[in-house]
Amino acid sequence: MTAIGAPIRRQGPSGDGTILDRSVAGRRAWSLAPLDVPEAPIASEHARAGRPGLPEVAEVDLVRHYTGLAQMNYGLDTGMYPLGSCTMKYNPKVAETVAALPGFQRLHPLQPDTTVQGALELLWRLERALCEITGMARATLQPPAGACGEMTGLLLMRAYHEDRGEQRRRVIIPDSAHGTNPASVRLAGFEAVPVRSDARGLVDVGALAKMVDESVAGLMLTNPNTLGLFEEEIDEIAATIHGVGGLLYYDGANLNAILGRCRPGDMGFDIVHINTHKTFATPHGGGGPGAGPVGVNAGLVPYLPAPIVQKAGDGTFSLEHGGERSIGRMHGFHGNVGILVRAYSYVFLHGADGLKEVSELAALNANYLARLVKTDFPLAHPDMRPMHEFVATAKPLRDATGIKAMDVAKRVIDLGFHPSTVYFPLVVEEAMMVEPTETESKATLESFAEALRQAARDARERPEILREAPVTAPVRRLDEARAARALKLRW
Ligand SMILES: *Cc1c(COP(=O)(O)O)cnc(C)c1O
């Protein structure tokens, strides 16, 4: 580039603002045949004064603007995305093809049941599959996200206790829990009570036993937990909570470690939510859409949101509207059906054997990667074996060089990868939470490990590079605190 001179900067999205900045009065992206019917005036009560302020652009401007934006993005179709707890696996394109079939894509939610038997059968079969995978009796497919699944599950918990005339107000969650857990507990009208993790990174069972009494509505747990570790004393934990009449809620946002191997229902859980957009491969991030189905044991079925799909003796399917004890709706119509079609495709593409292989490879990949980087980034709990993800720490590097996990993450961007999650879980200093998923090859894992090791070498030899990073991304360091607090929802 230097020999032949820098390219003349083409008009692109970066630095050029929004599509409105490309607007030129009178430009149009359409060409319609001349009007051959009489023009009808808009009734005055519907007419607006002035122009709506839409961008006036040609088709080519539109295409280049949005293609340019897409090219600035980093996604699973461009590279590995080891964002811990997010399960950013490659999403097979066949699921997109199935979801785009006109029979699914052009459904109207108000069509009579008799005209949508195929779609209802798909929802019914997906529900059966998710119940089989989690060990639950029935499930609602309505919630549009994991966090909404949590809220649904907690409302079910509340309905269950209230039905027994009990006003239980406390829900116990481990201190390593995903941030949505305490938020959902509060939203559902409960008080969130943290239980501490012990030195192994597992729930401190002794501390838990001292906390429980009849004011406890239940416990929310992820297993393997947010540190990627399996709660070995899950039977004891379940007995402790059930012993005081509480319920066990399983945050199954990510089932990648247990698919086909063990089931929350068999561990003693009563309620489970699943993020189909994580485990069952739907592109996600940036806020949706997703699906967070919630499965429950037989005793909780009457409280499920409605409608759910029922299969009649003659093999036909219908939507059953809720009974008196149902908590009501969690979403308009039937949830994000397009996402559920993708989940169905994924489940039946793999079959039982394939799903079991998914969890095997997810754990193998995470453990292999953890070993490749442990000299520079040791595991936060080195005596424990992680499962589908691991939590390492940049603390030794920081103590030696002053370079923090955040600087490493930014350097990794310049080295061509999406970084891992950093500073979560909160209980680990300089946490780096890495989840490679099963879809990455050995070669890709090795190049990512090399990027992390390179970042560590740079931290020791030329730390200023890390403090400046990223220099190759469309945007440099963002003020993340301000971005989260000072929301600007319009331009
Ligand atoms: C992602 C995640 C959630 C939240 O799911 P959303 O679909 O983003 O609302 C909840 N719990 C855990 C453990 C997660 O990883």
Side-chain angles (χ1 to χ4, degrees):
M1 207 188 279
T2 41
I4 56 168
I8 294 170
R9 211 162 98 67
R10 74 186 157 92
Q11 195 191 1
S14 86
D16 291 351
T18 69
I19 187 76
L20 283 169
D21 297 306
R22 288 184 176 241
S23 186
V24 175
R27 257 189 209 165
R28 293 288 177 269
W30 45 263
S31 46
L32 294 178
L35 200 63
D36 61 357
V37 292
E39 201 167 341
I42 295 175
S44 60
E45 69 267 31
H46 299 310
R48 264 187 296 202
R51 293 181 153 271
L54 296 174
E56 298 182 71
V57 290
E59 181 179 317
V60 64
D61 301 326
L62 261 182
V63 169
R64 288 191 181 150
H65 179 75
Y66 288 107
T67 305
L69 282 179
Q71 285 174 338
M72 286 160 70
N73 202 11
Y74 184 98
L76 280 158
D77 290 351
T78 41
M80 179 179 175
Y81 210 124
L83 201 58
S85 198
C86 295
T87 319
M88 305 298 278
K89 57 175 75 177
Y90 171 76
N91 304 293
K93 296 295 172 238
V94 63
E96 298 301 315
T97 309
V98 175
L101 290 175
F104 293 122
Q105 199 184 42
R106 296 191 194 150
L107 286 176
H108 192 283
L110 292 176
Q111 271 176 252
D113 293 354
T114 52
T115 67
V116 291
Q117 286 293 300
L120 294 180
E121 179 170 0
L122 178 141
L123 297 176
W124 186 83
R125 287 173 55 129
L126 176 65
E127 188 200 326
R128 293 316 323 138
L130 297 178
C131 287
E132 178 61 33
I133 289 167
T134 53
M136 292 289 126
R138 295 236 42 188
T140 170
L141 304 177
Q142 268 180 28
C148 183
E150 291 172 25
M151 169 88 174
T152 307
L154 288 156
L155 291 178
L156 292 168
M157 197 183 270
R158 203 169 91 176
Y160 167 87
H161 290 304
E162 281 175 1
D163 219 15
R164 274 158 191 71
E166 295 184 7
Q167 295 292 325
R168 295 178 178 236
R169 281 287 159 256
R170 294 160 74 219
V171 173
I172 301 177
I173 47 177
D175 57 6
S176 63
H178 195 266
T180 49
N181 291 185
S184 300
V185 167
R186 290 289 295 274
L187 278 176
F190 291 111
E191 182 198 340
V193 190
V195 58
R196 65 166 189 256
S197 310
D198 61 18
R200 301 169 303 166
L202 304 181
V203 167
D204 185 328
V205 181
L208 179 69
K210 291 202 195 92
M211 290 168 68
V212 298
D213 59 29
E214 315 234 305
S215 71
V216 170
L219 168 83
M220 276 185 107
L221 200 65
T222 308
N223 195 19
N225 65 24
T226 318
L227 295 161
L229 308 175
F230 194 84
E231 295 286 352
E232 292 164 9
E233 284 120 344
I234 186 60
D235 288 342
E236 206 174 323
I237 294 171
T240 304
I241 299 297
H242 286 152
V244 292
L247 296 178
L248 266 87
Y249 181 98
Y250 186 91
D251 178 340
N254 185 339
L255 294 179
N256 244 22
I258 65 158
L259 265 185
R261 289 170 192 275
C262 57
R263 312 191 307 167
D266 300 335
M267 295 179 212
F269 287 90
D270 306 291
I271 310 168
V272 180
H273 95 260
I274 300 156
N275 279 19
T276 70
H277 46 289
K278 288 181 181 169
T279 314
F280 302 114
T282 286
H284 69 286
V294 178
V296 294
N297 68 23
L300 292 167
V301 172
Y303 309 102
L304 277 177
I308 52 176
V309 181
Q310 301 290 10
K311 184 178 183 182
D314 64 358
T316 57
F317 298 89
S318 60
L319 284 165
E320 185 123 319
H321 292 271
E324 223 163 73
R325 292 191 287 169
S326 161
I327 61 165
R329 279 189 169 280
M330 294 307 291
H331 196 275
F333 300 112
H334 318 303
N336 285 332
V337 172
I339 305 302
L340 300 170
V341 175
R342 287 171 176 83
Y344 178 89
S345 311
Y346 184 87
V347 168
F348 286 88
L349 173 72
H350 284 79
D353 297 356
L355 293 179
K356 204 167 169 187
E357 212 177 314
V358 164
S359 51
E360 181 176 326
L361 286 177
L364 180 65
N365 279 1
N367 280 273
Y368 182 55
L369 186 54
R371 280 193 85 102
L372 292 179
V373 302
K374 73 171 184 196
T375 312
D376 294 312
F377 304 103
L379 287 177
H381 297 88
D383 300 333
M384 302 292 288
R385 179 181 283 253
M387 298 198 64
H388 63 296
E389 64 188 351
F390 65 92
V391 178
T393 172
K395 186 170 180 295
L397 189 73
R398 184 201 65 192
D399 292 348
T401 66
I403 289 296
K404 303 166 135 198
M406 183 61 86
D407 304 316
V408 171
K410 300 298 184 193
R411 176 70 180 131
V412 163
I413 295 174
D414 280 341
L415 294 170
F417 286 95
H418 195 286
S420 70
T421 297
V422 289
Y423 301 116
F424 181 79
L426 305 173
V427 288
V428 173
E429 244 188 298
E430 296 296 329
M432 294 168 60
M433 186 188 206
V434 190
E435 185 182 6
T437 83
E438 74 285 1
T439 57
E440 299 307 325
S441 68
K442 185 162 173 277
T444 305
L445 298 175
E446 285 163 1
S447 12
F448 179 69
E450 183 44 33
L452 280 179
R453 289 193 301 250
Q454 172 75 46
R457 276 196 299 276
D458 292 338
R460 290 187 287 266
E461 289 160 18
R462 36 181 197 165
E464 63 293 346
I465 287 201
L466 284 95
R467 291 202 186 91
E468 296 244 316
V471 295
T472 58
V475 290
R476 301 289 299 274
R477 277 211 199 193
L478 303 175
D479 181 342
E480 297 186 15
R482 205 172 124 223
R485 289 190 191 128
L487 291 186
K488 200 171 159 195
L489 298 175
R490 47 169 54 234
W491 65 80

